[in-house]
Amino acid sequence: VQLQASGGGLVQAGGSLRLSCAASGTIARINTMGWYRQAAGRQRELVVIIGSGGTTNYADSVKARFTISRDSARNTVYLQMNSLKPEDTAIYYCNADVIRYSGGGGFLPSTHYWGQGTQVTVSS
């Protein structure tokens, strides 16, 4: 399974960016998909996750500014980021909790996969 993220870049404070992350491989089903971020010198933190039924969980710092959406048919998750602030500057990583097919026609236990990260830089 591979997760390919795109959409990062440099934007001024108050601007917007849209991130995308597509999962590919032998995927039977994806449970949660989401975005995490890691700023320089800090630990990776949750930004937002979305369940297979659409339930979301946002970090307080991004509520009302960021919106996650998901296209389950394409195994793709999006993150619309509005009203960006310099403190949003970080590498953004997508994550997916994936159930794969097993060789015997069944399913393997779910596994979390990570994308390669995409840099988001917000200038003041």
Side-chain angles (χ1 to χ4, degrees):
V1 174
Q2 291 188 327
L3 271 61
Q4 182 68 44
S6 61
L10 172 64
V11 65
Q12 288 188 330
S16 298
L17 284 173
R18 186 176 189 243
L19 306 183
S20 300
C21 177
S24 61
T26 54
I27 297 169
R29 196 182 83 183
I30 301 179
N31 294 325
T32 60
M33 300 187 80
W35 294 93
Y36 292 73
R37 67 187 181 186
Q38 187 167 16
R42 302 187 66 175
Q43 290 188 331
R44 191 172 299 188
E45 63 178 6
L46 170 71
V47 177
V48 58
I49 57 173
I50 183 168
S52 57
T55 302
T56 57
N57 182 24
Y58 288 89
D60 288 342
S61 60
V62 306
K63 282 181 181 177
R65 298 189 299 122
F66 291 10
T67 302
I68 191 170
S69 59
R70 175 173 176 171
D71 184 341
S72 294
R74 291 181 169 82
N75 291 329
T76 300
V77 65
Y78 306 95
L79 182 64
Q80 178 65 43
M81 304 185 293
N82 299 329
S83 302
L84 282 160
K85 303 175 181 180
E87 51 263 44
D88 294 318
T89 295
I91 299 174
Y92 284 68
Y93 297 91
C94 61
N95 176 276
D97 183 22
V98 177
I99 297 175
R100 297 171 57 204
Y101 294 107
S102 71
F107 304 97
L108 297 171
S110 68
T111 303
H112 282 270
Y113 292 89
W114 292 91
Q116 82 281 12
T118 184
Q119 177 71 47
V120 171
T121 303
V122 185
S123 62
S124 57

